[in-house]
Amino acid sequence: MNNEELLRYPIGKLTHQQFTGKEPYDEKIKEFHLRDIGNLPLLLEYSVQNLDAGQLEIPYRPGGWTIQQVIHHMPDSHMNAYMRFKLALTEEMPTIKPYEEGAWANLSDTKNVPINVSLTLLHALHTRWVELMGNMMEDDWQKKLIHPQHNKEITLWSMLATYSWHGKHHLAHITSLRDRMGW
């Protein structure tokens, strides 16, 4: 991986096996992913502790989002994921609504609202989401939704792996920037 890719994907890219749900259901893997998702809000909060307003405006890589945008992106993205889980659990293979995450990252709430609001939202959201997922039966993980941007049927099992990776991916953007900058 070259330096630009390393800055963009500090923990590596989401694997095809994870994204497509080809990894077979496994209780230990499920617990690992649930722990990742459950721990993310606190780890994200720790990652920005003691950063000032100027540091929050620094992008994690050239052309990338600022730390502030990353923090606000997390509940935006995970609220969508939570709703997608609920849709797939209560409807027969729903088609989800994609959203323009880059455009969302440039809206006024991302620019003007303090990050503690999004961190609080992420804590509350993940409490509910982990509760929901922790009580799903093995068959529930095979329920599917249709993602029109990818033109694919995606299992909730695959969604779990994707969002476990997603949280660690963005957390690493912040922690690796802090390391590079000596903060």
Side-chain angles (χ1 to χ4, degrees):
M1 203 181 290
N2 66 36
N3 194 44
E4 185 179 320
E5 283 183 317
L6 188 58
L7 291 176
R8 189 173 187 151
Y9 299 103
I11 65 166
K13 292 182 180 183
L14 180 68
T15 68
H16 176 74
Q17 189 175 21
Q18 289 168 314
F19 180 71
T20 58
K22 299 293 184 200
E23 186 176 61
Y25 178 86
D26 180 279
E27 194 66 28
K28 285 184 181 180
I29 293 171
K30 178 187 88 172
E31 291 303 320
F32 177 78
H33 290 323
L34 287 176
R35 198 168 22 259
D36 283 344
I37 292 171
N39 291 334
L40 178 67
L42 189 58
L43 293 173
L44 202 59
E45 189 173 335
Y46 287 154
S47 78
V48 295
Q49 204 165 37
N50 301 319
L51 294 183
D52 62 35
Q55 291 167 318
L56 293 175
E57 289 303 316
I58 295 175
Y60 69 88
R61 67 176 172 85
W65 287 342
T66 66
I67 293 174
Q68 180 156 330
Q69 287 174 306
V70 170
I71 295 295
H72 287 304
H73 164 72
M74 297 305 293
D76 287 348
S77 173
H78 290 197
M79 280 189 287
N80 274 283
Y82 175 64
M83 296 307 296
R84 291 168 179 178
F85 264 77
K86 291 189 97 158
L87 288 167
L89 288 168
T90 60
E91 299 176 15
E92 186 65 33
M93 208 175 322
T95 298
I96 57 135
K97 169 107 175 63
Y99 71 103
E100 296 296 329
E101 63 182 33
W104 285 33
N106 289 311
L107 293 172
S108 66
D109 61 327
T110 300
K111 293 178 181 180
N112 300 326
V113 173
I115 62 168
N116 67 316
V117 173
S118 281
L119 290 168
T120 300
L121 179 56
L122 197 67
H123 276 284
L125 174 64
H126 278 229
T127 298
R128 289 200 52 195
W129 193 16
V130 170
E131 169 65 24
L132 176 71
M133 292 186 295
N135 287 293
M136 288 170 53
M137 302 314 234
E138 187 173 339
D139 288 351
D140 291 333
W141 293 104
Q142 301 314 312
K143 291 184 177 184
K144 297 177 181 177
L145 52 82
I146 297 170
H147 197 303
Q149 280 181 318
H150 302 294
N151 199 26
K152 291 185 187 245
E153 295 176 3
I154 302 172
T155 65
L156 291 181
W157 179 243
S158 174
M159 293 279 290
L160 174 65
T162 298
Y163 284 94
S164 170
W165 173 87
H166 183 257
K168 293 185 294 190
H169 167 71
H170 285 303
L171 178 63
H173 285 148
I174 297 167
T175 58
S176 64
L177 175 63
R178 285 190 75 134
D179 289 347
R180 289 192 315 277
M181 301 296 278
W183 296 338

